[in-house]
Amino acid sequence: MPRLDTCLCLLLSISPLAVTNIVEEEKSELIDEIDCSQTTQTKEKQAPGRCHKGLISSLQMLNNYEALLTPPQSVRSVANQAAAKAIMVISGLTVGNGYYECMSSNDMPINCSGNMWHLIVEACIARNLLDTSAYVWPGYVNARPNIPRSVPSQVPGWSSLMKGSPLTPTLVNALIATPASSLAEIEKIYEIATKGSNDEKIYAASILCGASLVRGWNIQEHAILFITSLLLPPVPSDYSESESYLISYAPLLNVLLLGISSADCVQILSLHGMVPILAGMLMPLCEVFGSTAPDVSWTLPTGEELTSHAVFTNAFTLLLRLWRFDHPPVEHVMMGDATPVGSQLSPEYLLLVRNSKVSDFGKSPKDRLKMKRMSKNLNLTLELIFMDSFPKLKGWYRQHNKCIASTLSGLVQGTTVHQIVDALLNMMFSKISRSGQSSGSSSPSTSGADDVSLILNVPAWDILEATPYVLDAALTACAHGRLSPRDLATGLKHLADFLPATLATIVSYFSAEVTRGIWKPVFMNGSDWPSPAENLSIIEQQIKKIIAATGVDVPSLTTGRSSPAMLPLPLAALVSLTITYKLDKASERFLVLIGPALSSLAEGCPWPCMPIIASLWALKVKRWNDFLVFSASRTVFHHSSDAVVQLLRSCFASTLGLSPSTTYSNGGVGALLGHGFGSHFSGGMSPVSPGILYLRVHRSVRDIMFMTEEIVSLLMSSVRDIAGSREKPKNTKFGLRYGQVSLGAAMARVKLAASLGASLVWLSGGLSLVQSLIKETLPSWFISAHSADQDAGEPAGIVAMLGGYALAYFVVLCGTFAWGVDSASPASKRRPKVLGSHLEFLASAVDGKISLGCDYATWRAYVVRFVSLMVGCTQKWILDVNIDVLKRLSYGLIRWNEEELAMALLGLGSVRATTAAAELIIEIGA
């Protein structure tokens, strides 16, 4: 789970960059206008645009929400410094960054209290969205200046670097712990990383991957670009060696790879949209260092020896994490005949996205404005690259897919691969071999440790090619009793320690074997395999508490002699391997590769595989208990469509305030999404809001096509509940009448229900599910017969009318999510066919050519509101519709006395629609 630094970088780095893009897009449009016509109004057009003014107004209003602006404890001092900077500028002092590095708590202004507002404004100033005039906004400065005029004695920091101090260990540690405050400072480090001595380059790389990457919110995008650039340095002009020039950069590259491999760093890189670019930088490293034998080594400043295997492992495991390698093979077939889900999460796909970004960059005014924000010192590779450039990587990926598709075959006796297989098996199970037991190797050809070391002194790609056969032999030996489970886990750990990159093959092979279901399950009895019995009943109770609010029954986890805890053999081997790892920083980058894969695989296995694994890991790491229990709770919904429907029903009930639970009685987004999960909120595991559960469950729902029908059904059920909970009609001297306030409140809740339903459809299945809804599900629903919509004494017409309105808002929102309101997105190209089909259905039904089963009031309310929303909100959609369909629909609206709406619909059509509108006016007049 992302930690605080990742969440803050989303707020303080990503959001201002997104705002910058919006403001620059507006500026680029003005630039285009100026280029087309140079007029006397040029100066006026260069004034701040509407978006920029709106940003300033919004930021000024932030101070009205003081309760939401309290900074987390870890950044409170930084927020106070931001407030102190404003006071300093207002006081006329011009003190550089060194002032803050030297300032103690005694130097802070009296009552100076900074909050998130100050950090947000500083993030905008750093990106030239604001200037220091923001410091005089009302309420921004809340203390009197008492800042000393003299700067205290110098301490090591960024100001020392800028004044020319060399990179001593003390200064390096200070710069790693403190983020740079300006582009000039981070540029200085980048210059050292490219032009300094070998030791200075390593120091600079460590600094770039330190606080400037994780907490340097005002310069984070520059730190990321510099790091990415350093990962693939240019070829020296005088280089003439036969081996790759990248080999000589190994120590620098390894520091960078380790520096960006933490869970937070990968999340930050992803948030900045750098995954495709970074993948393109990692692939050459994998190809080169994976093709180099480990007899090439380097001595690091710490005295450690660095081999090509280590550099390859760090680059390769990071690359795997970028394309969501953790998802099990079952995802490749879960959509039936549809395009495999995994096909878009491959290295080829990342390169396609990367090449698209590179080839298009710099061609538009928006890009030219963006380039002005980038450092002039930056050296990024903009050449197109393809998988064919990496034959070893492509070969491994082909073998990876082959292992997923079918059982293993093709090992030929006496080949180099066979020799490596035997050497690996001897290395993994050497103690067992010496005691006279079989290791599982078919015909060992190695006789001693020296021979094994000699054969295994080969490039990493050769090891990875042999690994599937090693795993197959080891797993077969264990299944037939020739290898104990404990020895299997120990042997796997030896293999992973020898070349950690083999974890990728271990994960993919075991996942594929579990999915095929050809291995018998094993008893997790505590002797052969680790036992979860000590913790399983506690996990069961915590799972029940977590999903209590959804009303779903949790299958029993009770185990005993008659029903022992069991796991498929490959899954048992994988979890046994994971719990052999120590929880230290060195193991983190490997656990974050195995962990998600293990979790995804266990969730797809029969109940209660995931609770068993959660129990085993919770016994090992108690602080992970809440997260593990939550992961196990999600599995309940993976195995039951009824549970998913119940969860969806809980989403509607909690959002609309229709739930009997007092926790969700107020409704709204707060009730839908809640405030997280865990035992730290109420002294024990508490129910989790249904929205959070659904966000973590929906990707694993096997049959998503049934979701649209269920969501439509729940939407209409919610409308009946809303109508039933309205203020009752009152007797007046004019008769029975509904108050406008009551009906207006009901309409607001109907819109809320529709927006929730549209969000759930889009979230569950994206474009394909939305198009299926509009082309198939909705027409079928209107044609089918429905029971009278009457509840709690409400007239059926009111309920039916609200139902039609709800469906109209629901469909338009779904279409907006999928296609947009204009024609800018690629998905909008699919809109004419789907929308045309739906409006053809509407026109035919209005003409009486199609018999409807729904209530007439629902049908009329739907058509009128749907057309009204198109006319008022999605006018570009109307241009996609055939003019004859528009005419037929308009004539039907006129028959319903909706002349104004009919004219507006034709008026927004194509040129041919103008003629039809004129004819319609004549007919109405006649």
Side-chain angles (χ1 to χ4, degrees), residues 648 652 656 694 704-719 722 747-782 801-820 834-835 838 858 861-870 873-874 877:
L648 288 170
F652 277 96
L656 300 174
Y694 192 76
I704 64 170
M705 300 310 294
F706 89 99
M707 301 291 284
T708 53
E709 296 180 7
E710 293 295 341
I711 291 172
V712 170
S713 176
L714 290 170
L715 174 61
M716 300 308 290
S717 175
S718 299
V719 169
I722 290 170
M747 280 297 300
R749 295 175 76 189
V750 164
K751 291 180 182 179
L752 179 61
S755 65
L756 173 62
S759 301
L760 291 171
V761 169
W762 175 247
L763 185 69
S764 301
L767 180 63
S768 61
L769 198 60
V770 169
Q771 294 181 163
S772 172
L773 165 75
I774 297 175
K775 286 183 65 177
E776 301 168 10
T777 306
L778 256 296
S780 298
W781 189 91
F782 282 119
M801 179 194 68
L802 290 175
Y805 286 164
L807 287 174
Y809 285 112
F810 169 62
V811 173
V812 170
L813 281 171
C814 283
T816 303
F817 291 156
W819 306 317
V834 179
L835 185 63
H838 189 63
T858 300
Y862 173 76
V863 174
V864 172
R865 183 62 64 179
F866 182 79
V867 175
S868 299
L869 289 171
M870 280 206 305
C873 305
T874 61
W877 290 13

Side-chain angles (χ1 to χ4, degrees), residues 233-267:
V235 182
S237 57
D238 57 347
Y239 190 79
S240 59
E241 302 292 332
S242 58
E243 67 178 15
S244 172
Y245 75 99
L246 291 172
I247 295 295
S248 61
Y249 287 93
L252 171 66
L253 295 173
N254 197 62
V255 170
L256 293 169
L257 292 170
L258 291 176
I260 62 176
S261 291
S262 69
D264 265 351
C265 288
V266 172
Q267 183 79 0

Side-chain angles (χ1 to χ4, degrees), residues 285-493:
L285 303 185
C286 293
E287 189 72 18
V288 169
F289 288 97
S291 304
T292 305
D295 51 6
V296 178
S297 62
W298 303 264
T299 302
L300 301 179
T302 58
E304 298 177 67
E305 289 291 322
L306 177 68
T307 67
S308 59
H309 276 185
V311 180
F312 169 78
T313 288
N314 294 328
F316 186 60
T317 53
L318 182 56
L319 176 64
L320 296 181
R321 290 165 60 193
L322 295 182
W323 58 276
R324 290 174 64 186
F325 177 78
D326 57 282
H327 285 238
V330 69
E331 290 212 354
H332 293 254
V333 296
M334 65 187 298
M335 296 296 292
D337 296 331
T339 303
V341 176
S343 64
Q344 291 188 344
L345 303 173
S346 63
E348 294 104 322
Y349 179 74
L350 289 178
L351 285 184
L352 285 173
V353 176
R354 183 257 178 207
N355 289 341
S356 176
K357 286 176 174 285
V358 167
S359 60
D360 292 340
F361 186 70
K363 295 180 180 179
S364 66
K366 180 181 176 182
D367 284 342
R368 291 195 292 271
L369 287 169
K370 187 181 294 185
M371 290 172 70
K372 290 182 179 179
R373 289 190 273 116
M374 297 169 63
S375 171
K376 295 180 181 178
N377 300 330
L378 191 62
N379 182 18
L380 276 175
T381 302
L382 299 180
E383 298 177 359
L384 302 183
I385 55 177
F386 303 94
M387 279 293 287
D388 289 340
S389 302
F390 316 112
K392 293 291 187 181
L393 175 61
K394 186 176 181 179
W396 172 85
Y397 184 57
R398 187 183 296 114
Q399 185 191 43
H400 163 72
N401 287 331
K402 184 179 178 181
C403 286
I404 290 175
S406 62
T407 54
L408 202 60
S409 62
L411 181 60
V412 180
Q413 297 281 340
T415 60
T416 303
V417 176
H418 183 256
Q419 292 176 357
I420 295 175
V421 169
D422 281 341
L424 287 172
L425 287 168
N426 275 282
M427 177 202 69
M428 294 165 62
F429 308 113
S430 57
K431 293 181 179 180
I432 305 172
S433 298
R434 285 195 295 269
S435 64
Q437 299 182 42
S438 171
S439 68
S441 173
S442 55
S443 56
S445 59
T446 55
S447 57
D450 293 338
D451 295 332
V452 168
S453 299
L454 183 62
I455 292 176
L456 296 182
N457 190 33
V458 293
W461 289 121
D462 295 346
I463 302 294
L464 290 181
E465 184 181 3
T467 300
Y469 301 102
V470 172
L471 299 175
D472 184 67
L475 210 58
T476 302
C478 184
H480 290 83
R482 299 196 303 270
L483 186 68
S484 73
R486 291 181 181 273
D487 289 333
L488 174 62
T490 302
L492 292 174
K493 186 62 165 59

Side-chain angles (χ1 to χ4, degrees), residues 7 14 19 102 153 179 187 210 284 317 453 500 579 697 703 756 827 836 867 874:
C7 299
I14 312 300
V19 172
C102 305
S153 58
E187 280 181 328
T317 53
S453 299
I579 61 178
V697 164
D703 182 14
L756 173 62
V867 175
T874 61

Side-chain angles (χ1 to χ4, degrees), residues 483-778:
L483 186 68
S484 73
R486 291 181 181 273
D487 289 333
L488 174 62
T490 302
L492 292 174
K493 186 62 165 59
H494 288 164
L495 175 63
D497 289 344
F498 170 68
L499 181 64
T502 57
L503 286 170
T505 305
I506 292 173
V507 167
S508 65
Y509 173 78
F510 282 171
S511 297
E513 293 303 302
V514 170
T515 304
R516 275 189 275 272
I518 59 178
W519 300 90
K520 292 182 179 180
V522 297
F523 299 140
M524 309 302 289
N525 52 20
S527 56
D528 298 325
W529 300 95
S531 171
E534 180 183 343
N535 203 30
L536 201 55
S537 61
I538 298 174
I539 294 291
E540 180 180 15
Q541 295 304 316
Q542 292 175 335
I543 291 175
K544 288 182 177 180
K545 287 184 179 180
I546 283 180
I547 65 174
T550 66
V552 175
D553 293 329
V554 178
S556 176
L557 301 180
T558 304
T559 59
R561 292 180 180 178
S562 59
S563 179
M566 301 176 69
L567 291 177
L569 173 59
L571 183 58
L574 191 57
V575 70
S576 298
L577 170 63
T578 62
I579 61 178
T580 63
Y581 276 89
K582 296 180 180 178
L583 298 179
D584 52 24
K585 190 174 182 179
S587 299
E588 179 192 0
R589 62 185 184 276
F590 304 131
L591 285 175
V592 295
L593 175 66
I594 310 175
L598 179 64
S599 178
S600 298
L601 184 61
E603 288 172 356
C605 289
W607 182 268
C609 287
M610 185 60 203
I612 290 172
I613 292 175
S615 299
L616 291 171
W617 263 101
L619 287 170
K620 180 179 177 67
V621 194
K622 293 189 181 299
R623 68 176 184 273
W624 289 4
N625 182 81
D626 293 350
F627 172 73
L628 292 166
V629 172
F630 180 63
S631 298
S633 302
R634 290 160 23 204
T635 316
V636 175
F637 302 94
H638 297 164
H639 296 288
S640 170
S641 296
D642 292 338
V644 175
V645 173
Q646 181 59 55
L647 181 57
L648 288 170
R649 183 176 290 111
S650 295
C651 288
F652 277 96
S654 60
T655 305
L656 300 174
L658 301 173
S659 173
S661 170
T662 56
T663 307
Y664 307 124
S665 59
N666 294 327
V669 176
L672 174 68
L673 297 179
H675 303 283
F677 68 93
S679 57
H680 53 285
F681 288 105
S682 56
M685 296 301 293
S686 57
V688 177
S689 57
I692 289 292
L693 272 176
Y694 192 76
L695 283 173
R696 302 304 299 275
V697 164
H698 74 274
R699 286 191 181 93
S700 300
V701 176
R702 300 291 176 85
D703 182 14
I704 64 170
M705 300 310 294
F706 89 99
M707 301 291 284
T708 53
E709 296 180 7
E710 293 295 341
I711 291 172
V712 170
S713 176
L714 290 170
L715 174 61
M716 300 308 290
S717 175
S718 299
V719 169
R720 289 193 293 272
D721 292 338
I722 290 170
S725 62
R726 287 194 321 113
E727 178 184 340
K728 296 303 178 185
K730 298 179 180 179
N731 285 311
T732 67
K733 64 179 181 179
F734 301 106
L736 196 65
R737 184 174 67 84
Y738 283 82
Q740 290 183 348
V741 174
S742 176
L743 188 57
M747 280 297 300
R749 295 175 76 189
V750 164
K751 291 180 182 179
L752 179 61
S755 65
L756 173 62
S759 301
L760 291 171
V761 169
W762 175 247
L763 185 69
S764 301
L767 180 63
S768 61
L769 198 60
V770 169
Q771 294 181 163
S772 172
L773 165 75
I774 297 175
K775 286 183 65 177
E776 301 168 10
T777 306
L778 256 296

